[in-house]
Every structure is written in C-alpha cells, then in structure tokens.
Amino acid sequence: MFICNCGSGLGNRIKSLVSCLRLDKNSKINWKKAPGILDCEFEDLFLNDLTISSPFPKNSRVYSSWRLAVLPEDNVPPGFAKVTFGKDLIGRPFSFTDPQGRNIDLEYNRIPESIKKEYVRCFQSFKINPTVLSWVAETEKLFDEETVSVHIRSWEDQEPDEESISRQKNFFKLEKFTNEMKKFPEETKFYLSSDAVNVIEKVKKIFPGRIITHKRHSELMTSRSTRTGAQDDLAELLLLSKNKVIIGTYLSTFTETAWWFGGAYAQVVIV
C-alpha cells in the first residue's frame, strides 16, 4: 500500500494521490488541513474512501512528491522532461527530479498515450462531492463548443512576501494571456479562472461580454483557508477541464490537473 502524504495545494495533492493509485489501487491519503494552503476535509471534495491517519500500517510506503510517478517499464526515455528538468525561470532547481529526466509533469500532449490512459483512468476514479458537481453543472450551461478555458495564476491571492513577489515578477505577465486570447475569433467566449479578482476585472474590460466566470460561494482571496473556498476552487478546476482548448499558467499544477480531469486531450497553450 502507498500512502499519499503530500501537504501542499490542491493540484499537487491530486497529482500525488493519483500517482499512489496508479502504483497500488489500494492506496490511501493522509489528508492534512492547512490554513492558507488547503483547509478542508477530503470528504468536502471527494467521496472516495481513501483517507488514513498515522500511524500507518506496517509495510506501507509513503509518497510525498508532487510529481506523477513514472514506472521503470513506462515508455519514457531518459531526457524526456523539458519543462521541469533543470531550473525554473527564477533559476531554482525543481524538486523530486528524476536523475534520468524521465518526469512527465507538465508535458501534456508529449506524454505517451499508454501512460495518458493509465492516469486518465486514475483521475476518472474520483467521486466528486455532489455540491461541487452541482456548481460545475450550473456554470457549464453557459459554455458552447468553441468556449476556451483560461487559467491565470497571478500570485496576487496572498499577502506579499519574497516568494509571491518573485513569482509575480518572473512568471506572470497578463498581456501574454490576453495576446493568446486575441488570436481567437471575436465571437469566442472564454471561461476564466484566476486567483485574483483584480485580474478577472482587467480581463473582462479587455473582452467585454465574452468572459464566463464561476459564481463563487466564497471570497476568492481567502479560498485557501475555508471549506467552501476549497469546494469553489475544485469547481473552477473542473470547469477548466470542460473545453477543447486551455490557456494555462507556467508551472501550474492547477492547469495541469484540469487537463487530466478533462481526459488529457485538450490543446494546451502555456504562457
């Protein structure tokens, strides 16, 4: 048995858990409430019977990585990883990097089909909380066949610190997103998910009448510290998964897990 022991944000936890489920279908998760990161119970988001508390059973193996597990027999050659091998745009080395560069994280449609199918199966095994599903259905009614998903992570959703300021400076440029959006026909509608109300309002002004957003039941700025906020965040992630094109954020596992929940077939543009 593998036990997921990842205590970071929503996207990272989901990736860590599906890795465990791929390695052993009987895997469990040690769910940690963490104000400012993810402050809810597992059952608030998913109904699967997967939670476990310490002490863990003997012979169980702990998995804490945010990376998707790659097996020795997987058709992934050495040096495959392009996005998360080496250093990020700030110049920092990535964590849990495979020495042979066989990581598949954030590689999207470069990932071999056989591995995609395995992980899509794991993602499809989640039983989403009905409350979240009802919110998704309400907003999804506004989509059409040509709606484009846009996820903009700005790092404006927290008190400024060295980390958030550095990420805003090196990772986030709003015009990169809007320039990609302008490439689509003028009648195209966009489903927009962001971590900052300020960003959403700016994009609405640039594309008047063309932006669809989830009607949240919680304050966006404090979503990481409330139960309802976590449910809203999962609803937004699932809504991103519903369209054929996703414009996503560099190094965001929120964008990445949305792609997986959608079946791992959407065209992805990362800015």
Side-chain angles (χ1 to χ4, degrees), residues 157-175:
D157 65 334
Q158 57 195 69
E159 290 296 325
D161 57 19
E162 184 178 350
E163 176 68 13
S164 64
I165 293 171
S166 179
R167 285 177 176 256
Q168 286 181 46
K169 178 182 177 181
N170 293 279
F171 292 175
F172 174 60
K173 295 291 185 295
L174 182 58
E175 60 269 24

Side-chain angles (χ1 to χ4, degrees), residues 1-269:
M1 176 193 295
F2 280 83
I3 297 174
C4 171
N5 199 40
C6 179
S8 51
L10 181 59
N12 285 2
R13 289 196 198 198
I14 292 173
K15 288 184 62 182
S16 186
L17 178 55
V18 295
S19 291
C20 292
L21 293 173
R22 187 187 177 208
L23 293 165
D24 183 346
K25 65 180 180 180
N26 296 313
S27 292
K28 300 289 185 179
I29 184 168
N30 178 33
W31 188 262
K32 306 170 186 176
K33 294 178 67 176
I37 298 175
L38 190 58
D39 195 9
C40 68
E41 302 292 347
F42 181 81
E43 295 77 14
D44 294 329
L45 306 180
F46 307 106
L47 302 186
N48 307 65
D49 183 17
L50 295 175
T51 56
I52 193 172
S53 300
S54 60
F56 303 142
K58 292 182 179 179
N59 301 321
S60 61
R61 299 176 62 183
V62 173
Y63 192 95
S64 301
S65 174
W66 61 274
R67 290 190 180 272
L68 294 173
V70 178
L71 309 184
E73 62 269 25
D74 285 339
N75 181 29
V76 180
F80 176 81
K82 291 184 177 180
V83 179
T84 61
F85 190 79
K87 298 180 180 180
D88 63 19
L89 292 179
I90 300 176
R92 303 175 303 185
F94 292 101
S95 59
F96 299 102
T97 302
D98 179 80
Q100 292 187 308
R102 295 181 71 239
N103 302 111
I104 62 171
D105 308 278
L106 302 159
E107 298 294 346
Y108 296 104
N109 283 308
R110 293 186 62 241
I111 301 169
E113 288 297 324
S114 59
I115 302 174
K116 279 190 194 178
K117 289 179 181 179
E118 286 290 315
Y119 272 115
V120 167
R121 176 183 58 80
C122 294
F123 274 88
Q124 290 177 341
S125 70
F126 284 108
K127 300 175 183 177
I128 310 297
N129 185 297
T131 296
V132 176
L133 287 178
S134 68
W135 295 349
V136 171
E138 183 179 354
T139 303
E140 189 182 359
K141 292 177 183 177
L142 304 175
F143 296 176
D144 59 34
E145 287 294 317
E146 304 305 321
T147 301
V148 172
S149 293
V150 182
H151 172 232
I152 303 179
R153 180 78 164 99
S154 70
W155 290 276
E156 293 183 8
D157 65 334
Q158 57 195 69
E159 290 296 325
D161 57 19
E162 184 178 350
E163 176 68 13
S164 64
I165 293 171
S166 179
R167 285 177 176 256
Q168 286 181 46
K169 178 182 177 181
N170 293 279
F171 292 175
F172 174 60
K173 295 291 185 295
L174 182 58
E175 60 269 24
K176 289 186 177 181
F177 290 92
T178 56
N179 286 343
E180 285 296 330
M181 295 166 72
K182 289 174 182 178
K183 294 178 182 179
F184 291 86
E186 291 187 1
E187 64 272 18
T188 301
K189 296 289 184 70
F190 299 96
Y191 167 67
L192 174 61
S193 174
S194 179
D195 59 353
V197 174
N198 178 51
V199 169
I200 293 172
E201 292 306 314
K202 286 181 179 178
V203 177
K204 283 183 175 180
K205 289 180 180 179
I206 297 171
F207 300 94
R210 298 171 61 188
I211 302 301
I212 301 167
T213 58
H214 166 59
K215 185 177 180 181
R216 294 182 63 93
H217 307 79
S218 61
E219 292 293 330
L220 182 57
M221 294 294 287
T222 58
S223 68
R224 288 171 174 255
S225 296
T226 68
R227 169 182 176 271
T228 306
Q231 292 178 320
D232 271 325
D233 289 348
L234 179 58
E236 296 225 27
L237 187 154
L238 294 173
L239 284 163
L240 286 169
S241 79
K242 300 297 183 179
N243 297 306
K244 295 181 291 187
V245 179
I246 302 175
I247 301 173
T249 297
Y250 172 69
L251 297 187
S252 171
T253 57
F254 198 87
T255 296
E256 184 185 18
T257 50
W259 180 76
W260 282 110
F261 271 114
Y265 72 88
Q267 174 188 345
V268 182
V269 179

